[in-house]
Amino acid sequence: MKRFISSVKEEVKSLKPMNIVVFVVITALYFVAGFSASHFAVQRGFFEIWGRRMPLASLAGVFSSVSNIFLITLVVFYGKLGFLVSMGISVIRFARLANGIIIARNVPSIPGTVLSLFALIVLILIYRRNEKIALVQKEKFDLIKKDQENLSEMFLETAKALASAIDAKDRYTHGHSNRVANYSKEIAKRAGKSGQEIKDIYFSALLHDVGKIGVDEAIINKKGKLTEEEFSEIKKHTIWGWEILSNIVHSPTLCIGARFHHEKYDGTGYPEGLAGDDIPEFARIIAVADAYDAMTSKRSYRDTMQQAQVRSEIENGMGSQFDPKFAKIMLKMIDEDTDYKMKESAK
């Protein structure tokens, strides 16, 4: 019983204002119909309809039936709340009619009593049927939800495996994609993005370097300065990543990070030289996270940079390399990281 009452309270809390108004109106109409039934039950006059004389008392049954329809409507459209109210009203009405027959010997109330009992049974049957339907729907919903969770988990594992495979091409980028994804996720969260946007940004960041699968490992792992031709080859990973991920039509935002994460806020980046807000917001977030991880990871030509130097580079890049809005969030994250844990862990 406690569980039932608890579920009724939850239904009441979930009702919209318009639903509450309709509920009150239907309940009020029931009482109007019930009062009318009682009023006409004691009338001795007649009325004409289609040329025939009918006793006014006959209208009592009509209004009684209409009142039952209003009760059934509450059960059908308002679930447990409607059932509770309708059952309460029906039980009280049936008790009063039955009392009139047994105590007051009011024989004319027998039809109304039988009709009331019938309505009571109908309400219970409708409620039980609705509960069975709701149970079946819940089972179907739970099954669909479970399938979606399994697919999401499979997608996450596949994306992480692919990102790890890409990072493995560069002996100096262990876990790079995963860290960039986590930094991007945190920046997006602090920027007030929705849950779905944060999720989309995370996956776009996780696969931002997928295009490197087409770049020669000798170029990726070269210790010295890249030649102009080698750098041109490296830059192609943005286009290749876009081409790979754009084939996943059910996740249209997935390819954004791959193509645009090397664009710069002042328009001097690649591959398209976009500037400012013309650069997709996802990419502007990932660009800050990507640059931060590059500076806080060990490379072939240098060790992990000092935190103060990293902060200075991010601050100096505001408005030129980075979107100031997201760079400020990254700076705040750096300031909060007093133990300098946001960096590549020692291997």
Side-chain angles (χ1 to χ4, degrees):
M1 187 62 184
K2 288 183 179 180
R3 186 176 180 181
F4 178 84
I5 297 299
S6 177
S7 62
V8 171
K9 290 181 179 178
E10 290 298 321
E11 287 188 4
V12 172
K13 290 179 181 179
S14 65
L15 285 177
K16 296 180 180 179
M18 182 55 68
N19 296 129
I20 296 174
V21 171
V22 174
F23 181 87
V24 171
V25 169
I26 293 174
T27 306
L29 288 174
Y30 161 77
F31 285 109
V32 170
F35 174 80
S36 300
S38 300
H39 172 73
F40 284 108
V42 295
Q43 298 300 310
R44 295 294 179 262
F46 294 86
F47 70 98
E48 286 193 9
I49 182 170
W50 296 321
R52 298 182 60 183
R53 292 184 69 197
M54 301 287 292
L56 287 171
S58 64
L59 292 177
V62 175
F63 282 105
S64 181
S65 297
V66 170
S67 66
N68 288 329
I69 290 173
F70 287 132
L71 291 183
I72 291 172
T73 301
L74 290 178
V75 176
V76 171
F77 292 102
Y78 288 91
K80 291 183 175 67
L81 173 62
F83 175 72
L84 187 63
V85 172
S86 298
M87 282 297 294
I89 292 173
S90 297
V91 168
I92 293 172
R93 184 174 67 173
F94 177 74
R96 289 180 62 188
L97 289 170
N99 179 69
I101 296 173
I102 298 170
I103 305 300
R105 308 289 183 177
N106 187 8
V107 177
S109 65
I110 291 177
T113 307
V114 173
L115 187 60
S116 178
L117 178 61
F118 177 75
L120 200 60
I121 295 171
V122 169
L123 291 176
I124 294 172
L125 292 176
I126 291 175
Y127 174 74
R128 286 178 59 85
R129 179 178 177 275
N130 288 349
E131 283 292 284
K132 288 181 180 179
I133 293 174
L135 181 61
V136 171
Q137 290 176 336
K138 183 179 183 304
E139 289 176 349
K140 288 182 178 179
F141 175 79
D142 290 343
L143 184 61
I144 293 173
K145 184 179 179 181
K146 184 65 176 177
D147 288 341
Q148 290 177 335
E149 289 175 351
N150 289 338
L151 286 173
S152 296
E153 185 66 26
M154 185 183 300
F155 181 76
L156 174 61
E157 291 175 356
T158 302
K160 284 187 174 182
L162 181 57
S164 296
I166 300 304
D167 289 350
K169 290 193 69 174
D170 186 343
R171 66 173 65 97
Y172 291 102
T173 57
H174 303 280
H176 168 70
S177 296
N178 193 57
R179 289 192 299 274
V180 172
N182 287 327
Y183 298 152
S184 299
K185 180 180 178 180
E186 182 62 22
I187 293 172
K189 182 179 178 181
R190 293 182 181 220
K193 299 303 175 185
S194 68
Q196 185 59 51
E197 287 176 316
I198 292 172
K199 183 178 179 181
D200 290 340
I201 289 171
Y202 173 82
F203 281 110
S204 187
L206 188 62
L207 297 173
H208 75 283
D209 270 342
V210 70
K212 286 186 177 180
I213 196 170
V215 180
D216 191 329
E217 287 189 34
I219 296 176
I220 292 177
N221 290 298
K222 184 177 179 180
K223 293 185 177 182
K225 184 178 180 180
L226 296 176
T227 65
E228 186 175 334
E229 292 77 12
E230 289 170 337
F231 185 57
S232 294
E233 189 70 13
I234 281 283
K235 290 197 294 185
K236 290 179 182 178
H237 81 279
T238 57
I239 304 301
W240 291 336
W242 166 275
E243 291 174 347
I244 292 170
L245 298 177
S246 60
N247 290 315
I248 306 176
V249 295
H250 292 295
S251 296
T253 60
L254 198 61
C255 56
I256 292 176
R259 185 178 182 91
F260 301 110
H261 69 281
H262 280 296
E263 297 287 358
K264 295 183 179 180
Y265 201 69
D266 61 3
T268 60
Y270 65 89
E272 296 184 21
L274 300 179
D277 291 345
D278 289 338
I279 305 170
E281 194 172 46
F282 278 22
R284 281 180 270 148
I285 291 174
I286 295 170
V288 178
D290 186 42
Y292 175 83
D293 187 68
M295 290 185 282
T296 56
S297 301
K298 186 176 181 180
R299 290 294 184 263
S300 59
Y301 49 89
R302 61 157 173 80
D303 204 344
T304 301
M305 293 171 61
Q306 295 297 312
Q307 188 182 43
Q309 186 181 358
V310 174
R311 192 191 190 286
S312 178
E313 291 292 333
I314 296 291
E315 190 171 27
N316 292 337
M318 291 172 60
S320 55
Q321 184 174 353
F322 310 120
D323 183 328
K325 174 183 176 181
F326 302 122
K328 287 178 182 178
I329 294 175
M330 188 77 251
L331 290 175
K332 184 171 178 57
M333 290 166 59
I334 293 172
D335 292 340
E336 291 174 0
D337 183 25
T338 54
D339 295 328
Y340 199 15
K341 294 181 178 179
M342 280 199 311
K343 61 179 179 179
E344 180 184 24
S345 59
K347 297 177 285 292

